[in-house]
Amino acid sequence: MSSVTKPDVRTARKTMRDGRRKTKISGPHPIDLHVGKRLRELRILKGLGQSQIAKLVGITFQQVQKYERGANRVSASRLYDIAEALGVPVSYFYDDLPPELVGKSIAQRSETITQSIVSREDPMQRRETLELVRCYYGIEDEALRDRFFELLKSMSNYADRKIDKTPETS
């Protein structure tokens, strides 16, 4: 397992001339981290490398890396290009925003702890998990896929848990 560095996030409080206090976060904005996380997940689920995404959009792979880390913000036009290239609506990148970011003022969102958003300790964020899901759904024979699922459950520590595998309807 590789070690992942967490973003360096420092908050600074500044007192304005009129007595109001302003909080500024240095480091990636929580929304930028979320958009980058969604980009990485989608890229891996589609089996694409950073260079392939970069080529589709006309940027460097280093820029894709920065977007995925939240180090650089994705402009509206670039996000549109990325969404078009990957065949998803732009809203995909904002889906599943963490509850601590939804319905909050700008100041409240600035107070959010960003480590929780980019934590790679969550097994659902690991490359291995995303690739496993992509491969699983790549099994075209539904009966074989069901047998593989049952085999995997029987081999895991989670065999006692019930898993609802009914497909979602859209």
Side-chain angles (χ1 to χ4, degrees), residues 101-118:
L101 296 179
V102 178
K104 306 289 184 182
S105 70
I106 293 170
Q108 289 170 323
R109 281 198 308 265
S110 294
E111 295 283 340
T112 301
I113 309 268
T114 56
Q115 283 90 346
S116 66
I117 295 170
V118 295

Side-chain angles (χ1 to χ4, degrees), residues 30-98:
I31 301 289
D32 297 327
L33 290 168
H34 180 77
V35 168
K37 181 184 94 165
R38 296 286 290 175
L39 172 58
R40 179 179 180 274
E41 288 173 358
L42 183 60
R43 177 180 60 77
I44 292 171
L45 285 172
K46 289 195 173 267
L48 299 171
Q50 290 174 331
S51 296
Q52 291 169 299
I53 297 286
K55 191 173 185 177
L56 287 171
V57 182
I59 57 177
T60 65
F61 80 90
Q62 292 94 335
Q63 188 61 43
V64 174
Q65 285 177 330
K66 290 176 183 180
Y67 289 157
E68 289 184 0
R69 284 195 325 262
N72 282 9
R73 289 185 172 163
V74 184
S75 70
S77 57
R78 180 77 72 214
L79 191 59
Y80 181 84
D81 292 342
I82 292 170
E84 285 286 306
L86 295 175
V88 296
V90 172
S91 62
Y92 170 85
F93 296 100
Y94 297 99
D95 289 346
D96 300 326
L97 276 170

Side-chain angles (χ1 to χ4, degrees), residues 95-152:
D95 289 346
D96 300 326
L97 276 170
E100 60 268 18
L101 296 179
V102 178
K104 306 289 184 182
S105 70
I106 293 170
Q108 289 170 323
R109 281 198 308 265
S110 294
E111 295 283 340
T112 301
I113 309 268
T114 56
Q115 283 90 346
S116 66
I117 295 170
V118 295
S119 174
R120 297 288 188 241
E121 295 169 9
D122 177 7
M124 297 308 292
Q125 299 305 313
R126 290 155 99 189
R127 171 182 288 279
E128 177 184 30
T129 304
L130 297 170
E131 288 180 354
L132 180 63
V133 169
R134 183 172 52 89
C135 291
Y136 174 79
Y137 284 107
I139 302 171
E140 293 180 12
D141 182 339
E142 191 172 335
L144 180 60
R145 191 171 54 234
D146 288 344
R147 288 177 43 210
F148 174 73
F149 182 72
E150 292 303 321
L151 173 66
L152 194 58

